[in-house]
Amino acid sequence: GAGVSQSPSNKVTEKGKDVELRCDPISGHTALYWYRQSLGQGLEFLIYFQGNSAPDKSGLPSDRFSAERTGGSVSTLTIQRTQQEDSAVYLCASSFDPGQGLYYNSPLHFGNGTRLTVT
Amino acid sequence: EDQVTQSPEALRLQEGESSSLNCSYTVSGLRGLFWYRQDPGKGPEFLFTLYSAGEEKEKERLKATLTKKESFLHITAPKPEDSATYLCAVQAPLYSGGYNKLIFGAGTRLAVHP
């Protein structure tokens, strides 16, 4: 089937506006991750969803960032009152993960990202 | 603090000129080390997972090896289509429990010229 799908592929917004980024994971994948990639930087972990468990939000850089995952499938990352430093590529990934704190080594499958530019 | 450092930042090779990329890491209890390839405008694509020191994995012209402190990605007789950014990541504990968060290095940009 299809891979991880992200939309939009590009987003230009004015400073102070809110933006929503969407991710459709691979069907059957229980875990979903958001990462941020800035120019010349490694991927920065933002948030992790696993089934019905409470998400791990430990990577969110500020309270302007939030994410939800509806029905265990599609996820939306929302950035409120965008700032120029929010400009980056936002990557979504999914994997099969049994959860419950169990170690599992299924590789992450990434989408092609949303390039966000805040002017 | 868990960290992943990749070197060099950029590498230029002639077609057929073999070389190695380095990934050094510090993590409390390594569960797995991953290599990914990323092409411009694309998301990272999975290459290998390594679990224990001494392990090796191969795919076409690529071979990944692992020691207790670092991993190497060896590229034998590279071709221009091998040009990409190669990312290394280690599996680390999640705040909420479990070990499925990946911590990434900044990557090595490889350019192979004909």
Side-chain angles (χ1 to χ4, degrees):
Chain A
V4 176
S5 177
Q6 292 188 245
S7 61
S9 55
N10 283 283
K11 176 72 176 179
V12 180
T13 190
E14 293 180 351
K15 178 182 173 181
K17 301 284 190 183
D18 298 351
V19 294
E20 284 189 354
L21 313 180
R22 177 187 169 101
C23 173
D24 279 281
I26 292 173
S27 177
H29 278 189
T30 53
L32 187 148
Y33 306 76
W34 283 98
Y35 281 82
R36 177 168 72 174
Q37 187 173 32
S38 303
L39 191 63
Q41 304 292 317
L43 276 70
E44 175 190 5
F45 170 78
L46 297 178
I47 188 169
Y48 161 78
F49 293 91
Q50 164 56 34
N52 295 321
S53 302
D56 183 326
K57 303 180 182 180
S58 59
L60 294 179
S62 77
D63 58 9
R64 296 185 296 105
F65 288 72
S66 62
E68 63 177 19
R69 188 179 185 192
T70 55
S73 181
V74 172
S75 177
T76 302
L77 177 69
T78 301
I79 309 174
Q80 296 179 309
R81 305 181 302 283
T82 52
Q83 304 295 313
Q84 288 187 329
E85 60 263 29
D86 299 334
S87 296
V89 175
Y90 289 82
L91 291 161
C92 175
S94 69
S95 71
F96 177 71
D97 178 352
Q100 301 177 338
L102 296 175
Y103 166 61
Y104 202 79
N105 52 41
S106 175
L108 274 61
H109 297 264
F110 285 86
N112 287 329
T114 294
R115 180 175 297 278
L116 175 66
T117 303
V118 182
T119 61
Chain B
E1 181 183 350
D2 300 328
Q3 276 192 323
V4 178
T5 303
Q6 291 188 248
S7 62
E9 290 185 13
L11 181 61
R12 177 189 171 116
L13 298 174
Q14 290 299 119
E15 184 172 4
E17 179 187 2
S18 301
S19 188
S20 296
L21 313 182
N22 177 263
C23 170
S24 61
Y25 61 89
T26 55
V27 64
S28 50
L30 180 72
R31 299 300 184 109
L33 185 142
F34 296 74
W35 282 98
Y36 282 81
R37 169 189 171 131
Q38 187 174 26
D39 292 297
K42 303 289 186 181
E45 176 186 351
F46 171 72
L47 292 174
F48 304 110
T49 309
L50 300 167
Y51 300 106
S52 57
E55 187 175 2
E56 298 183 353
K57 289 198 175 168
E58 289 188 63
K59 180 180 179 179
E60 297 180 355
R61 295 175 293 282
L62 300 177
K63 183 169 78 172
T65 61
L66 181 65
T67 72
K68 289 186 178 179
K69 293 184 178 181
E70 57 191 356
S71 176
F72 292 93
L73 185 65
H74 308 276
I75 304 176
T76 302
K79 298 182 177 181
E81 53 262 42
D82 295 322
S83 298
T85 296
Y86 291 86
L87 299 169
C88 171
V90 296
Q91 207 160 25
L94 287 159
Y95 180 80
S96 58
Y99 291 88
N100 295 322
K101 177 174 76 172
L102 294 187
I103 297 176
F104 283 84
T108 294
R109 295 190 311 278
L110 174 65
V112 182
H113 296 268

